[in-house]
């Protein structure tokens, strides 16, 4: 008999699939591919939360827009030179932005419209966990949606987003199961932020 968290996770993804599959990706300021598959969700999440268009990233890195598009939508890994440039520009290491295991296992994502709720969340308070916030935008999920499905209080989930609070191992595991992305990536901002603070105090 499956445990409750596994059953809960299956129910959550079933709801997402029924709601989004087959509707295409329509995100304001971002490319609208004819196929709704997004291979590199983490890279798109960071770009969305920072409000960086793919064309803008291409311009900043002196690469073609097509190159950036295949990184996001097809999960291609950039050349060593471009990999170093994009990681430096966005402020994340390779194993976060271009994790090949995560890219290969990425589910099909279809987003019917721009996430107005998460956009308001960003403008209302500073965001400390950009990856987790961006993933909510990629999936077009509200704080209430994710909180309900992982069994956390909405106020607690907001602390993870706005204050960079590191949740308990139990909630880290549930969030990992829900997004199908390792907790080491989902909560990387908390670790990177703490490391930065420690370096500043040395």
């Amino acid at each position: 008999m499956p445990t409750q968290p596994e059953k809960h996770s299956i129910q959550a993804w079933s709801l997402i699939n029924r709601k989004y599959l087959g509707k295409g990706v329509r995100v304001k300021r971002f490319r609208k591919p004819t196929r709704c598959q997004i291979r590199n969700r983490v890279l798109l999440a960071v770009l969305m939360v920072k409000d960086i268009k793919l064309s803008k990233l291409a311009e900043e890195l002196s690469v073609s827009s097509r190159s950036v598009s295949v990184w996001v939508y097809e999960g291609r890994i950039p050349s060593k030179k471009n990999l170093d440039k994009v990681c430096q520009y966005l402020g994340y290491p390779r194993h976060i932005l271009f994790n090949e295991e995560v890219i290969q296992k990425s589910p099909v994502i279809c987003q019917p419209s721009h996430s107005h709720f998460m956009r308001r969340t960003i403008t209302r308070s500073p965001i400390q966990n950009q990856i987790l916030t961006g993933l909510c935008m990629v999936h077009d999920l509200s704080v209430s949606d994710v909180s309900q499905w992982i069994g956390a209080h909405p106020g607690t989930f907001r602390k993870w987003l706005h204050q960079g609070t590191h949740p308990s191992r139990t909630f880290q595991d549930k969030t990992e199961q829900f997004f199908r992305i390792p907790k080491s990536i989902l909560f990387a901002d908390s670790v990177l932020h703490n490391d930065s603070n420690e370096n500043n105090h040395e």
Side-chain angles (χ1 to χ4, degrees):
M1 175 178 254
T3 61
Q4 185 60 31
E6 292 174 340
K7 180 179 178 183
H8 188 77
S9 178
I10 291 172
Q11 290 173 339
W13 277 96
S14 176
L15 287 172
I16 289 178
N17 289 338
R18 285 203 302 269
K19 186 174 181 182
Y20 300 121
L21 282 181
K23 296 186 178 180
V25 177
R26 298 184 179 89
V27 186
K28 185 179 179 183
R29 292 171 59 83
F30 289 85
R31 173 190 173 195
K32 302 174 183 178
T34 54
R35 295 186 179 182
C36 54
Q37 209 161 31
I38 299 172
R39 284 295 185 191
N40 196 329
R41 290 179 289 158
V42 176
L43 178 57
L44 182 60
V46 172
L47 293 175
M48 290 187 74
V49 81
K50 290 178 177 289
D51 197 25
I52 300 174
K53 293 191 296 183
L54 270 60
S55 58
K56 174 64 175 177
L57 180 62
E59 180 183 342
E60 292 291 333
L61 301 181
S62 299
V63 299
S64 68
S65 295
R66 170 63 182 165
S67 293
V68 175
S69 294
V70 297
W71 299 346
V72 172
Y73 296 110
E74 298 177 22
R76 300 271 185 88
I77 306 299
S79 65
K80 177 64 167 61
K81 178 182 177 181
N82 289 332
L83 186 61
D84 291 341
K85 288 198 294 185
V86 68
C87 289
Q88 182 177 2
Y89 182 74
L90 296 177
Y92 291 94
R94 170 187 175 152
H95 72 275
I96 299 294
L97 290 180
F98 295 95
N99 188 296
E100 295 185 49
E101 183 176 356
V102 172
I103 291 172
Q104 290 171 1
K105 294 182 178 179
S106 180
V108 173
I109 299 172
C110 300
Q111 186 172 335
S113 61
H114 189 60
S115 180
H116 297 293
F117 183 89
M118 293 309 295
R119 179 57 60 191
R120 291 197 299 271
T121 297
I122 291 176
T123 56
R124 190 174 300 164
S125 302
I127 295 296
Q128 293 295 329
N129 191 326
Q130 297 186 68
I131 292 174
L132 188 57
T133 303
L135 283 167
C136 289
M137 297 175 72
V138 169
H139 286 276
D140 195 25
L141 299 170
S142 70
V143 168
S144 299
D145 288 335
V146 182
S147 299
Q148 178 181 355
W149 288 332
I150 66 175
H153 189 278
T156 300
F157 188 76
R158 288 190 182 93
K159 288 183 179 179
W160 302 352
L161 303 182
H162 296 296
Q163 300 176 20
T165 304
H166 216 75
S168 67
R169 182 177 295 275
T170 297
F171 280 126
Q172 288 183 49
D173 291 341
K174 287 184 176 180
T175 309
E176 177 180 288
Q177 291 169 8
F178 179 72
F179 284 105
R180 299 183 184 178
I181 292 177
K183 51 182 172 282
S184 59
I185 294 178
L186 292 174
F187 300 99
D189 281 299
S190 301
V191 176
L192 294 173
H193 181 70
N194 290 336
D195 289 346
S196 178
N197 286 339
E198 289 177 3
N199 292 333
N200 290 334
H201 285 102
E202 288 180 355

